Amino acid sequence: MYKDDFNLSSGCYLLNHSVGRALKSSQSDFNEHFFSPWQATNKEPWQQWLSAIDRFTQALSDLFNSKKELFCPQVNLSSGLTKLLMSHPRLTKSGCRVLMSQNDFPSMGFAMQRALPSNAQIEYIPSEFDLTDIEVWQQYIKPEIDLVFISHAYSNTGQQAPVAEIAQLCKRNNCLSLVDVAQSAGVLPLDLTTVGVDFMIGSSVKWLCSGPGAAYLWVSESQLSLCEPTDVGWFSHQSPFEFDINHFAYHTSALRFWGGTPSIAPFVIAGHSITYFADLGVAKVREHNLKLLAQLTAALGSYLVSPSGAEKCSGTAIFDFSQRQPQVMDALAAANISVDERAYGIRVSPHIYNDETEVAQFIKVVKAVL
Ligand SMILES: Cc1ncc(COP(=O)(O)O)c(C=O)c1O
């Protein structure tokens, strides 16, 4: 029944780890909240546009169960991460140390390498290590580390990190912790009030079906006042309309990370779509996703190279068909089934708008090749 809510063309779309499909209602909602205020009267539209930003942060607040004031809109994760790294006394100090993994999204490593002080040390957990296993993290998390970077879900391996346990370890070792939810937001539930991380960066383009450009940075209450971003503008000011070039005061909320005149359009789409998922409940999306992943695994389990089980797998199953992989990809394309291929295999990501019939069709096409 959720199928009817989304813009789906013919065929089967299983690329939700890449770009989620838009809601059918997004276009009319966009006209109402973006174009109408701009076109329908001769007043300037900022008040309504800023209300749309408010709807976006409120939707995030509902989705992740944390105060709306702790979220700040960002263009993408890389930019949000850069701003954060350059704002915190522990991360701007000479020789600071960061732990991340070779399996994190490369852009996150690039931002780290450029935004941290030049003598910072970045240690990477090797790619062959099992990032779903807390004992692996235990070997690396030490009091000398300033920041631990965690991807909630790893895009190329389909692994899920045990975020709450890692955050606890970080607390015990007095390290800061940051979780990247680009690949998990909307499919893996995350409760910011209980999980215990210090920072979160995310976007809305994948399971949240909101398109690119609507990313966000969340800062815990305990860290917020310590953060003094360098990349600022009048929307980072406590009183944006003070207009005194000689006086800058940080916004008391996470909006201190906002910057100059904000973009609006991507956040209108995302505010609408994230509200849909917050109302539906991520637990429901995950339950459906797990059911379809189980169907895939039951039929093709011997080719599965990503973890199985609700605690360890992301929303994506990855299959390695070795030398038959090119034929499998061709057969899937001919059957109009959309998946993609990365270093470890074919990625398959069933969302709330996919169903058992589609998964059965995927299995049938693959088995015909094998
Ligand atoms: C885990 C993860 N982090 C980050 C990103 C993207 O970062 P950015 O928004 O800076 O492009 C992706 C994109 O696929 C991702 O999978």
Side-chain angles (χ1 to χ4, degrees):
M1 75 187 184
Y2 299 107
K3 255 187 196 327
D4 293 339
D5 293 342
F6 292 85
N7 271 315
L8 302 164
S9 55
S10 65
C12 167
Y13 187 85
L14 292 163
L15 284 169
N16 299 295
H17 52 266
S18 178
V19 177
R21 308 303 292 191
L23 280 164
K24 280 183 186 162
S25 52
S26 282
Q27 223 159 342
S28 59
D29 180 85
F30 187 75
N31 281 333
E32 184 188 335
H33 292 94
F34 189 72
F35 280 119
S36 258
W38 195 8
Q39 293 171 338
T41 74
N42 66 350
K43 295 203 174 64
E44 59 117 7
W46 275 109
Q47 201 181 342
Q48 286 104 313
W49 282 352
L50 291 177
S51 304
I53 298 289
D54 221 47
R55 178 176 70 162
F56 172 74
T57 48
Q58 183 58 55
L60 290 172
S61 152
D62 295 339
L63 192 81
F64 291 108
N65 190 31
S66 180
K67 289 183 185 164
K68 127 173 176 280
E69 294 74 25
L70 300 175
F71 293 90
C72 183
Q74 295 293 313
V75 174
N76 52 45
L77 282 90
S78 310
S79 170
L81 178 58
T82 298
K83 289 185 187 188
L84 177 70
L85 296 176
M86 296 177 79
S87 79
H88 196 284
R90 231 177 129 180
L91 306 172
T92 49
K93 73 169 199 257
S94 173
C96 81
R97 291 183 61 175
V98 169
L99 175 68
M100 57 193 305
S101 153
Q102 287 286 348
N103 283 330
D104 289 313
F105 194 73
S107 199
M108 303 296 95
F110 304 155
M112 277 304 178
Q113 292 149 21
R114 305 312 303 174
L116 288 170
S118 56
N119 64 352
Q121 289 176 51
I122 306 173
E123 190 173 3
Y124 299 90
I125 302 178
S127 54
E128 63 274 19
F129 281 34
D130 181 2
L131 295 166
T132 69
D133 183 354
I134 190 63
E135 286 180 14
V136 166
W137 293 87
Q138 239 151 9
Q139 289 171 40
Y140 284 90
I141 295 176
K142 313 173 195 105
E144 306 85 81
I145 305 276
D146 293 293
L147 175 70
V148 174
F149 185 96
I150 313 155
S151 292
H152 193 185
Y154 292 86
S155 60
N156 284 344
T157 63
Q159 292 172 316
Q160 179 187 160
V163 182
E165 285 174 276
I166 300 168
Q168 252 181 38
L169 259 180
C170 289
K171 283 216 167 17
R172 249 182 274 143
N173 285 277
N174 191 31
C175 317
L176 295 168
S177 58
L178 183 155
V179 63
D180 164 349
V181 296
Q183 204 53 249
S184 63
V187 68
L188 301 183
L190 188 78
D191 183 332
L192 285 171
T193 303
T194 55
V195 77
V197 293
D198 295 298
F199 312 105
M200 181 183 83
I201 48 177
S203 63
S204 316
V205 67
K206 302 169 190 299
W207 301 89
L208 290 173
C209 301
S210 305
Y216 41 89
L217 164 65
W218 173 88
V219 181
S220 65
E221 238 157 352
S222 59
Q223 297 300 325
L224 186 57
S225 61
L226 296 173
C227 295
E228 299 196 331
T230 354
D231 180 348
V232 294
W234 60 309
F235 278 82
S236 312
H237 197 292
Q238 193 183 337
S239 318
F241 294 92
E242 192 180 277
F243 291 132
D244 174 358
I245 198 169
N246 298 307
H247 176 247
F248 177 79
Y250 282 114
H251 203 290
T252 49
S253 80
L255 292 183
R256 62 180 54 197
F257 283 99
W258 210 356
T261 308
S263 75
I264 300 296
F267 300 100
V268 172
I269 301 170
H272 177 64
S273 189
I274 299 172
T275 301
Y276 174 92
F277 283 105
D279 291 348
L280 176 63
V282 179
K284 196 161 194 165
V285 178
R286 179 58 166 166
E287 191 189 328
H288 185 72
N289 165 260
L290 283 172
K291 191 172 76 182
L292 299 186
L293 290 179
Q295 188 185 346
L296 284 164
T297 309
L300 299 167
S302 54
Y303 302 95
L304 187 74
V305 290
S306 55
S308 51
E311 302 300 315
K312 291 187 182 268
C313 72
S314 71
T316 304
I318 304 177
F319 296 99
D320 179 5
F321 300 110
S322 61
Q323 72 274 18
R324 274 167 299 179
Q325 195 126 302
Q327 289 125 281
V328 170
M329 282 303 280
D330 288 346
L332 290 169
N336 204 7
I337 297 174
S338 298
V339 293
D340 65 11
E341 206 180 353
R342 285 289 181 275
Y344 299 105
I346 294 179
R347 302 191 293 180
V348 187
S349 300
H351 208 331
I352 196 77
Y353 42 73
N354 296 116
D355 59 27
E356 282 101 332
T357 314
E358 289 177 309
V359 172
Q361 176 66 8
F362 172 90
I363 293 165
K364 192 172 153 200
V365 170
V366 171
K367 283 199 161 168
V369 175
L370 303 176

